[in-house]
């Protein structure tokens, strides 16, 4: 099965900062570009961390202890005073959770869900920044045209993986929902066909109306991990 690669979805023009960038400048970049986080680089463009809005807010709260129910400094001076005190290296989350351009989009989605992050800097073999991929980028998988999904099921699943004829089953796709119709030789093929179709990028659900000529033992379906985005935060 072929999956879309991270390199096909990532943004290669990335807003980033150096580790010595001030708190105030980081906050300004986040606001100017309407983003919630950005990579932090060393002098050789290697990713050393990620700084997000939550990192800034956590540091801001820690830097302004409440005394007698009132803040030590006026609220409007908070970012300015912290900007002179803290750098990106001091507020960033490290080590950065990164991904390679050649990894698959489902793998990136699982990594995001497991680590609870909203973006992944994309790095080369020397950990240098080459792009960034976000949850929104990965959701583009579900905008894959129905005609392309149908073609992939026929070419990659029915013909390429299962070795059947292109007209072995009828494939209909509407808004990412796949309907399979037809008759196969063995019942085990139905489970395999359904599972492989479910794993294709862009498929929302699979409805099976496929029957079989013979009832052979049904083997365990292929171990293909789902690519849904779980754990959105």
């Amino acid at each position: 099965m072929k999956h879309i690669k991270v390199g096909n979805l990532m943004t290669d023009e990335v807003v980033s900062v150096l580790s010595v960038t001030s708190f105030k400048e980081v906050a300004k970049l986040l606001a100017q570009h309407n983003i919630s986080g950005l990579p932090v680089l060393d002098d050789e463009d290697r990713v050393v961390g990620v700084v997000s809005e939550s990192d800034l807010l956590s540091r801001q709260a820690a830097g302004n202890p409440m005394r007698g129910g009132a803040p030590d400094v006026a609220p409007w001076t908070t970012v300015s005073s912290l900007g002179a005190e803290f750098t990106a290296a001091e507020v960033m989350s490290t080590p950065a959770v990164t991904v390679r351009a050649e990894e698959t989009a489902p793998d990136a989605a699982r990594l995001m869900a497991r680590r609870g992050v909203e973006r992944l800097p994309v790095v080369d073999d020397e950990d240098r920044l080459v792009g960034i991929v976000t949850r929104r980028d990965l959701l583009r998988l579900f905008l894959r045209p129905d005609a392309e999904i149908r073609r992939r099921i026929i070419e990659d699943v029915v013909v390429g993986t299962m070795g059947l004829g292109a007209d072995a089953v009828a494939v209909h796709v509407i808004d990412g929902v796949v309907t399979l119709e037809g008759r196969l030789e063995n019942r085990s093929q139905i489970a395999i066909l359904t599972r492989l179709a479910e794993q294709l990028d862009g498929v929302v659900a699979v409805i099976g109306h496929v029957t079989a000529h013979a009832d052979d033992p049904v083997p365990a379906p292929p171990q293909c991990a789902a690519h849904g985005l779980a754990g959105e935060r």
Side-chain angles (χ1 to χ4, degrees):
M1 291 296 293
K2 298 178 181 178
H3 286 292
I4 293 177
K5 305 294 186 182
V6 169
N8 298 124
L9 295 174
M10 72 180 189
T11 299
D12 54 14
E13 294 183 3
V14 187
V15 180
S16 60
V17 295
L18 295 174
S19 56
V20 295
T21 303
S22 70
F23 180 107
K24 185 175 182 180
E25 182 62 24
V26 172
K28 184 187 300 183
L29 287 171
L30 292 177
Q32 285 178 344
H33 295 276
N34 192 29
I35 54 179
S36 60
L38 44 77
V40 181
L41 312 180
D42 64 12
D43 293 336
E44 297 183 357
D45 289 338
R46 287 191 295 258
V47 179
V48 294
V50 173
V51 62
S52 66
E53 291 173 330
S54 58
D55 292 323
L56 297 185
L57 292 173
S58 296
R59 177 63 71 167
Q60 182 180 3
N64 288 275
M66 300 297 286
R67 190 170 57 197
D72 286 343
V73 294
W76 59 84
T77 66
T78 300
V79 172
S80 178
S81 62
L82 283 174
E85 182 178 352
F86 295 116
T87 65
E90 294 173 292
V91 298
M92 69 184 182
S93 297
T94 187
V97 182
T98 61
V99 69
R100 310 271 188 202
E102 62 271 18
E103 294 186 45
T104 68
D107 285 340
R110 286 191 291 272
L111 179 60
M112 279 188 182
R114 187 170 66 249
R115 300 298 295 271
V117 297
E118 297 181 359
R119 69 200 62 78
L120 294 170
V122 185
V123 298
D124 62 16
D125 292 337
E126 296 181 350
D127 291 330
R128 290 187 173 89
L129 183 69
V130 297
I132 195 164
V133 65
T134 67
R135 288 179 184 265
R136 182 173 298 177
D137 294 327
L138 295 178
L139 284 172
R140 284 165 47 197
L141 292 175
F142 295 99
L143 301 179
R144 201 174 199 182
D146 290 341
E148 184 181 350
I149 293 174
R150 179 179 183 275
R151 181 173 64 85
R152 285 298 182 187
I153 290 176
I154 294 173
E155 293 181 2
D156 294 351
V157 177
V158 177
V159 177
T161 302
M162 299 189 66
L164 304 174
D167 57 352
V169 293
V171 181
H172 308 283
V173 185
I174 300 177
D175 294 334
V177 178
V178 177
T179 302
L180 303 172
E181 299 176 341
R183 190 171 182 83
L184 298 177
E185 286 299 319
N186 301 308
R187 190 162 66 93
S188 61
Q189 293 175 306
I190 300 175
I192 295 172
L193 172 63
T194 302
R195 177 59 61 91
L196 291 177
E198 288 173 341
Q199 299 307 311
L200 192 72
D201 294 331
V203 172
V204 175
V206 175
I207 300 172
H209 297 301
V210 181
T211 58
H213 293 290
D215 279 344
D216 59 344
V218 180
Q223 296 300 311
C224 299
H227 60 263
L229 293 176
E232 187 83 21
R233 288 177 58 181

